[in-house]
Amino acid sequence: GDSVTQMEGPVTLSEEAFLTINCTYTATGYPSLFWYVQYPGEGLQLLLKATKADDKGSNKGFEATYRKETTSFHLEKGSVQVSDSAVYFCALSEWTAGNKLTFGGGTRVLVKP
Amino acid sequence: NAGVTQTPKFRVLKTGQSMTLLCAQDMNHEYMYWYRQDPGMGLRLIHYSVGEGTTAKGEVPDGYNVSRLKKQNFLLGLESAAPSQTSVYFCASSPRGQNQPQHFGDGTRLSIL
């Protein structure tokens, strides 16, 4: 079955540092890939997505490129802020009834001033 | 602009008690989902619905039942609560169609003693 593996946290960074969160996936078909973010006490919000190979999703300074050859979708941001402290989830969806998502375990990121 | 609303936000139950979690969305979405979130395991799909009157099992359905009598509401029931069901529960909804993002509620924190 489908699965998503992402680096375990927590990841602790200083403000303005470069952030990378690794995500790899296993899928039987040709999935769409997503990054969701969860701020403390809130539900998940879509951060970005990519639907085909070599697509780059971007939002709020975050980027991720769909790499089919390495089955990866790593999240990057060039200069993090304290407000980026959150839990980040990588997820995939295959085209089946209901658009079900398969999530990775989540990576907690803490940005210190 | 309410989006997805979950009721209640917190609840403590004793083993063997029953309860129902309510999810309501005001975006006219076709699809709705119930997830549980446990530390280090990401979100796991319990049940989902692709339309009013229809439900289907997800990855971890045992011990839970659901109903979708109205398009805007999706209820999650625990008939006989067990300590293993202590978790944070999230409801989500999405429009019909491939690659549509899911919109999440703020979660219900449930403790079973």
Side-chain angles (χ1 to χ4, degrees), chain A residues 80-94:
Chain A
V80 294
Q81 305 301 312
V82 173
S83 58
D84 293 323
S85 298
V87 182
Y88 294 82
F89 292 92
C90 185
L92 68 81
S93 174
E94 296 212 69

Side-chain angles (χ1 to χ4, degrees), chain A residues 33-80:
Chain A
L33 302 174
F34 304 83
W35 277 100
Y36 282 82
V37 59
Q38 184 181 30
Y39 299 105
E42 299 183 9
L44 279 70
Q45 305 173 22
L46 178 68
L47 182 58
L48 52 85
K49 71 177 184 181
T51 60
K52 61 182 186 295
D54 300 325
D55 263 3
K56 178 183 285 188
S58 61
N59 186 26
K60 299 181 180 179
F62 289 90
E63 293 183 338
T65 301
Y66 190 142
R67 300 292 188 195
K68 186 170 184 286
E69 63 277 13
T70 55
T71 62
S72 64
F73 193 53
H74 305 323
L75 182 69
E76 297 181 337
K77 186 173 185 181
S79 178
V80 294

Side-chain angles (χ1 to χ4, degrees), chain A residues 32 36 38 43 49 89 98-99 104, chain B residues 33 37 42 90 97 99 101-102 105:
Chain A
S32 296
Y36 282 82
Q38 184 181 30
K49 71 177 184 181
F89 292 92
N99 276 341
Chain B
Y33 315 83
Q37 183 180 26
F90 286 96
N99 304 322
Q102 294 185 14

Side-chain angles (χ1 to χ4, degrees), chain B residues 6 8-9 15 17 22 31 34 47-48 50 57-58 64 66 68 79-80 86 90-91 96 98 104:
Chain B
Q6 293 184 229
K9 297 189 183 305
T15 298
Q17 287 185 318
L22 172 63
Y31 299 163
W34 275 108
H47 286 280
Y48 66 101
V50 298
K57 294 180 180 180
Y64 305 95
V66 289
R68 184 111 182 259
E79 291 186 348
S80 179
T86 294
F90 286 96
C91 177
R96 184 190 303 275
Q98 192 175 6
F104 285 80

Side-chain angles (χ1 to χ4, degrees), chain B residues 7-76:
Chain B
T7 308
K9 297 189 183 305
F10 304 95
R11 186 74 183 268
V12 178
L13 292 178
K14 295 181 179 179
T15 298
Q17 287 185 318
S18 63
M19 79 161 296
T20 300
L21 280 64
L22 172 63
C23 177
Q25 52 96 2
D26 61 2
M27 297 172 283
N28 201 35
H29 286 169
E30 290 292 334
Y31 299 163
M32 296 187 75
Y33 315 83
W34 275 108
Y35 295 91
R36 59 178 290 172
Q37 183 180 26
D38 301 294
M41 301 184 73
L43 277 74
R44 292 180 292 168
L45 183 65
I46 303 171
H47 286 280
Y48 66 101
S49 169
V50 298
E52 182 178 320
T54 69
T55 63
K57 294 180 180 180
E59 180 185 356
V60 288
D62 293 343
Y64 305 95
N65 56 75
V66 289
S67 64
R68 184 111 182 259
L69 299 180
K70 295 182 178 180
K71 184 177 183 179
Q72 63 268 34
N73 295 337
F74 196 29
L75 279 61
L76 177 71

